[in-house]
Amino acid sequence: MWQMASGQLSRAGALACTGCRHACHVMLYCDTKTQLFGRLPIRHIILMQMRFDGLLGFPGGYVNPSEETLEAGLSRELLEELGVALPILVEDHVDCCHAPASSPYSSSRLITHFYVKKMEEEQIREMERTAASTATDHGQEVLGMVRVPLYTMKGGGGLAPFLSHSFIGNARSKLVDSLLRLDLVAPEELHTALAHSLKLHA
Ligand code: GTP
Ligand code: MN
Ligand code: MN
Ligand code: MN
Ligand code: MN
Ligand code: MN
């Protein structure tokens, strides 16, 4: 389990909030030996999605803890958005926090929970297929699943332009945090890509 940063909520603390709404999203990923153009190792497949609102985010959605556990609710969202009933465990919970308030005079009543789950490559590939075929939300709330390019090409293509897109909520920082903490991209390469992405975004 990762250590909790100060100011962060625990899962139990979040559930104790009466009148709060909850949303749960998950980063599903695997290792892979696949190479782009037969020479550039892509190293890992990380699944994100293009949402109906044009923003990138992780699969998942709203959960009502009075009707289902956070993890069962996330599982249900994955069935809707990916077409696969994937069991999510309490151990997969990474952290949660209040979404930023829309006004400085009100505190946010939405708590977003972030999960990470490592899969087998074949499971990830199967979810990409079902997401585009049998998932009920395909083409509606979810415009398509996308993989995160984790490499940097000569000329700067790859991770930096991906990070310069617009993301929902704190999805971009959750992605960057996870790349670092799970050692999916070398810190130096990530640092360079982050700096480059901000210039592209401007
Ligand atoms: P409905 O079925 O239409 O209710 O959508 P949903 O249940 O799939 O909800 P959605 O995935 O849109 O997530 C609900 C809310 O959580 C969003 O409106 C955002 O505020 C927030 N959210 C969405 N995606 C992410 C994400 O990847 N990370 C974080 N932290 N928050 C997200
Ligand atoms: Mn949904
Ligand atoms: Mn969703
Ligand atoms: Mn939903
Ligand atoms: Mn829905
Ligand atoms: Mn929605």
Side-chain angles (χ1 to χ4, degrees), residues 25 49 51 60-61 77 81 141:
H25 293 87
Q49 62 186 21
R51 296 160 43 90
E77 284 290 339
E81 299 185 2
E141 287 180 34

Side-chain angles (χ1 to χ4, degrees), residues 25 49 59-62 76-78 80-81 137 141-142:
H25 293 87
Q49 62 186 21
Y62 288 112
R76 173 186 50 71
E77 284 290 339
L78 295 180
E80 295 168 6
E81 299 185 2
D137 280 354
E141 287 180 34
V142 182

